[in-house]
């Protein structure tokens, strides 16, 4: 699986210059707007509500990470992110994304996820897409690859302390 994830991320990095010239990245796309809201909601104890998720997601919206569906439906979105909040972790999706473009009903992204757990900073690169339906996100599919400072420099958007 790790080889697959590295391949997907490499493909996004390879395509990034072509995408930038083929389509102007729009920082105000629905996927980016949702993550801007998500970042603010994460910082509030009562930030993740069903009504909040309904502003951006269809009732049966899914989240698939590394090929495994982890969320299905608004109630699971709320529960999943309440659990992460309760763990004491600090998580942020860096917006604007490194790359974002839309093709048909899909919005593709390549972005940084930074976090702190138990006082230790970590960082991942993520690539994937959101499928839009009726102006809302019907699904998000992502692959993530953790960055290891022992194996090379971290992305400049990563937290280091």
């Amino acid at each position: 699986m790790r080889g697959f994830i590295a391949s997907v991320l490499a493909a996004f990095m390879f395509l990034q210059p072509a995408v930038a010239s083929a389509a102007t990245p729009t920082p105000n796309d629905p996927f980016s707007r949702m993550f801007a809201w998500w970042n603010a909601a994460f910082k509030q104890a009562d930030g993740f509500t069903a009504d909040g998720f309904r502003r951006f997601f269809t009732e049966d919206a899914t989240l698939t990470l590394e090929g495994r569906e982890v969320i299905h439906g608004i109630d699971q979105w709320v529960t999943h992110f309440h659990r992460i909040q309760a763990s004491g972790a600090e998580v942020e999706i860096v917006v604007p994304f490194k790359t974002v473009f839309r093709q048909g009903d899909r919005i593709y992204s390549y972005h940084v996820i930074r976090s702190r757990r138990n006082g230790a900073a970590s960082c991942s690169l993520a690539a994937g897409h959101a499928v839009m339906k009726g102006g809302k996100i019907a699904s998000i599919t992502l692959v993530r690859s953790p960055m290891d400072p022992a194996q090379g420099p971290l992305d400049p958007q990563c937290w280091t302390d």
Side-chain angles (χ1 to χ4, degrees):
M1 179 60 95
R2 187 168 291 274
F4 171 74
I5 293 169
S7 297
V8 170
L9 291 172
F12 260 84
M13 291 187 310
F14 175 76
L15 289 173
Q16 187 172 355
V19 169
S21 64
T24 304
T26 306
N28 201 21
D29 65 275
F31 201 23
S32 297
R33 282 195 311 270
M34 182 279 296
F35 274 123
W37 164 81
W38 188 95
N39 286 337
F42 195 92
K43 295 175 183 174
Q44 301 172 15
D46 61 350
F48 291 127
T49 65
D51 287 341
F53 279 102
R54 281 187 182 101
R55 286 179 39 216
F56 298 96
F57 292 92
T58 62
E59 283 297 318
D60 60 348
T62 60
L63 173 63
T64 301
L65 300 173
E66 285 78 47
R68 187 176 141 253
E69 185 178 291
V70 296
I71 295 175
H72 186 109
I74 295 292
D75 290 341
Q76 287 186 12
W77 283 92
V78 173
T79 301
H80 181 84
F81 291 110
H82 275 171
R83 188 172 45 249
I84 293 172
Q85 276 181 314
S87 76
E90 182 180 358
V91 181
E92 183 179 342
I93 310 304
V94 178
V95 178
F97 298 145
K98 292 183 159 304
T99 300
V100 62
F101 63 96
R102 189 170 189 155
Q103 186 170 359
D105 66 349
R106 292 179 186 235
I107 301 172
Y108 294 88
S109 72
Y110 171 58
H111 58 271
V112 170
I113 303 170
R114 52 192 180 196
S115 63
R116 284 190 191 93
R117 296 179 198 282
N118 301 320
S122 64
C123 196
S124 296
L125 292 174
H129 68 275
V131 175
M132 303 301 295
K133 183 177 178 182
K136 293 186 177 188
I137 298 169
S139 68
I140 296 175
T141 302
L142 295 173
V143 292
R144 301 165 299 176
S145 181
M147 298 188 74
D148 182 353
Q151 294 184 359
L154 292 176
D155 188 276
Q157 294 179 321
C158 293
W159 288 329
T160 56
D161 56 9

